[in-house]
Amino acid sequence: MPTPIRTTATRKLRTLLAALLPLLAALLVAAPTAAARTDAADAVPTATLTEVTDFGANPSNLRMYVYVPAGVTADPAVLVAVHWCTGSGPDMYNGTEYDTLADQYGFVVVYPSVTRSSKCFDVSSPQALRRDGGSDPVGIRSMVDWVTRTYDADTDRVFATGISSGAMMTNVLLGDYPDVFAAGAAFAGVPFGCFATTDGSEWNSACANGTVTHTPQQWGDLVRGAHPGYSGPRPRMQLWHGTEDDVLRHPNLGEMIKQWTNVQGVGQTPAATDTPQTGWTRTRYGGTGDRASVEAISLQGVGHNLYGYGMAARVLTFFGLDGGGPAPQPQPGACKVTATTNAWNTGLTASVTITNTGTTAINGWRLGFTLPAGQSITSGWGATYAPASGAVTGSSASYNAALAPGASVSIGYQANHTGNSAAPGAFTLNGTACASG
């Protein structure tokens, strides 16, 4: 049964239900049962973290927490958010922004929670590293199935993300269940199978230290071996890692890139390399836009605790959850941007016009640009800007996300400057370079 974790206006809800029950009973007599989209006996209170029990097969006694936004969409997407060692589902809920992003975009978030003493997920046992072999992946699959049944969720839009132990589990879930998960995002993890042990130990020091290396083919074979005979599409993967990670060392990022590019059947040479934020190096494989087959972000000088505010939004962009699903990407030369500034003393305003010069409509856009040195955005309109300086992304608002071929949208921002009040010199739209107007 679901058990609310945060307090809600329970008495008001009960009063409302008491008034509605007679009407509902009458409707049920007249309407076919197949008309209901959710199972009312299972649906959880909205806008509050809730524990669900008896959700299905659960061989390792995981606990399931779920967050359903008040504005959950029809056929919602599902995001599985997996916690770190010593953490819990509620910790992951409180320590990340996925619930507030769910409020904005209408998807359902599942927070698995370990009950074993280490509070680490099993990513090392033979049972965990094969499809339906037992242990934690089976329980998490059951959680996804529960949400799918209860909310008629979109089985083509199920995603996983995790931090540390949760990042390792993200790799495992995508290997065990390529037919369930469309994409994953792993923050400070290791490749699928890297932590494998046969002595019951949960820890693999060689892997943690970054000394386990294989060829791309060998890494890919480990993933394919988890579900022999599967020939369908494979999940896309986004990888995050700090260069100074002293728990799961940085060489693991290179090994994960080898693994998932091989699984995806794309080359080892990046199709695109950029710096979305100071100190970050992002490489994309198999594509240059926001939905590349594999995307890796290396954070210079950052340790194991790399997750920070704003990164979840970038995860949603990679998944395609920040605009109701994957948006068609503009092709090279399919956009044009005109930017002017009006400056005074140490301040300026910038006016920016974006034009879709392609032949395909854009539904949800992200404008990338780099501010001149000394400039810092203080406010803006028509888009959400982050971060305030350096390599900035302006994300569309709900009212101007759609750009038909030939259509334009005007946005702008106010910024401080230390002498250089020029407009940015180059722009990208959803990862594609735009012509300047």
Side-chain angles (χ1 to χ4, degrees):
M1 291 179 60
T3 304
I5 300 302
R6 288 183 179 173
T7 59
T8 61
T10 304
R11 283 180 290 183
K12 291 183 180 179
L13 180 61
R14 288 175 178 168
T15 300
L16 178 60
L17 287 174
L20 289 175
L21 281 175
L23 176 60
L24 289 172
L27 289 173
L28 287 172
V29 171
T33 56
R37 186 175 65 87
T38 66
D39 183 341
D42 287 338
V44 303
T46 60
T48 185
L49 186 66
T50 304
E51 182 171 8
V52 174
T53 59
D54 300 324
F55 50 83
N58 184 23
S60 55
N61 196 32
L62 297 178
R63 298 176 74 174
M64 174 186 178
Y65 298 88
V66 64
Y67 181 84
V68 179
V72 62
T73 61
D75 307 318
V78 181
L79 174 61
V80 179
V82 195
H83 68 75
W84 52 91
C85 277
T86 74
S88 67
D91 289 340
M92 188 72 175
Y93 169 67
N94 289 314
T96 59
E97 312 101 285
Y98 295 112
D99 60 322
T100 57
L101 291 167
D103 290 336
Q104 184 175 358
Y105 297 112
F107 57 87
V108 177
V109 191
V110 175
Y111 299 92
S113 195
V114 171
T115 57
R116 63 179 61 89
S117 59
S118 66
K119 299 299 178 67
C120 297
F121 285 91
D122 176 13
V123 296
S124 57
S125 75
Q127 292 78 18
L129 296 174
R130 68 175 185 270
R131 181 186 181 84
D132 296 336
S135 198
D136 296 347
V138 170
I140 295 174
R141 166 69 189 274
S142 294
M143 297 177 194
V144 171
D145 288 346
W146 183 93
V147 173
T148 300
R149 290 192 308 270
T150 306
Y151 293 93
D152 194 21
D154 185 347
T155 56
D156 290 330
R157 293 194 299 147
V158 178
F159 305 91
T161 185
I163 301 171
S164 189
S165 178
M168 293 192 277
M169 178 51 71
T170 297
N171 279 266
V172 169
L173 289 171
L174 269 58
D176 285 356
Y177 296 107
D179 54 335
V180 173
F181 294 94
F187 289 83
V190 303
F192 177 99
C194 185
F195 243 58
T197 60
T198 56
D199 59 1
S201 171
E202 296 180 33
W203 189 257
N204 185 318
S205 294
C207 179
N209 290 331
T211 61
V212 176
T213 61
H214 293 304
T215 66
Q217 183 68 36
Q218 290 169 332
W219 279 125
D221 286 345
L222 287 175
V223 171
R224 288 182 285 269
H227 187 5
Y230 177 75
S231 59
R234 293 282 177 170
R236 297 179 300 110
M237 178 63 94
Q238 183 186 62
L239 305 164
W240 300 73
H241 223 103
T243 61
E244 301 304 312
D245 192 326
D246 59 356
V247 177
L248 302 172
R249 295 190 180 275
H250 189 257
N252 280 300
L253 176 61
E255 299 303 302
M256 286 187 285
I257 292 171
K258 288 185 194 176
Q259 183 170 67
W260 291 106
T261 52
N262 181 265
V263 167
Q264 283 284 339
V266 300
Q268 301 286 300
T269 302
T273 302
D274 65 356
T275 305
Q277 189 166 312
T278 302
W280 294 12
T281 300
R282 178 171 61 188
T283 49
R284 286 168 165 165
Y285 306 82
T288 60
D290 291 331
R291 317 286 194 270
S293 299
V294 178
E295 178 176 278
I297 303 97
S298 179
L299 285 69
Q300 183 65 39
V302 176
H304 188 62
N305 297 324
L306 80 167
Y307 180 86
Y309 181 83
M311 292 180 178
R314 294 180 181 271
V315 170
L316 294 201
T317 296
F318 180 75
F319 289 168
L321 288 180
D322 56 355
Q329 300 298 296
Q331 298 302 308
C335 50
K336 177 181 177 181
V337 177
T338 301
T340 60
T341 59
N342 181 20
W344 68 92
N345 296 332
T346 60
L348 63 87
T349 57
S351 298
V352 181
T353 300
I354 307 165
T355 303
N356 177 8
T357 58
T359 59
T360 303
I362 299 171
N363 183 18
W365 48 263
R366 287 153 300 282
L367 184 71
F369 57 91
T370 299
L371 287 173
Q375 291 187 19
S376 179
I377 294 175
T378 56
S379 62
W381 53 94
T384 301
Y385 300 91
S389 60
V392 177
T393 298
S395 300
S396 58
S398 59
Y399 60 84
N400 64 6
L403 269 179
S408 298
V409 61
S410 295
I411 62 174
Y413 56 85
Q414 185 167 312
N416 295 326
H417 69 86
T418 57
N420 186 348
S421 60
F427 296 87
T428 61
L429 190 68
N430 290 354
T432 297
C434 295
S436 298

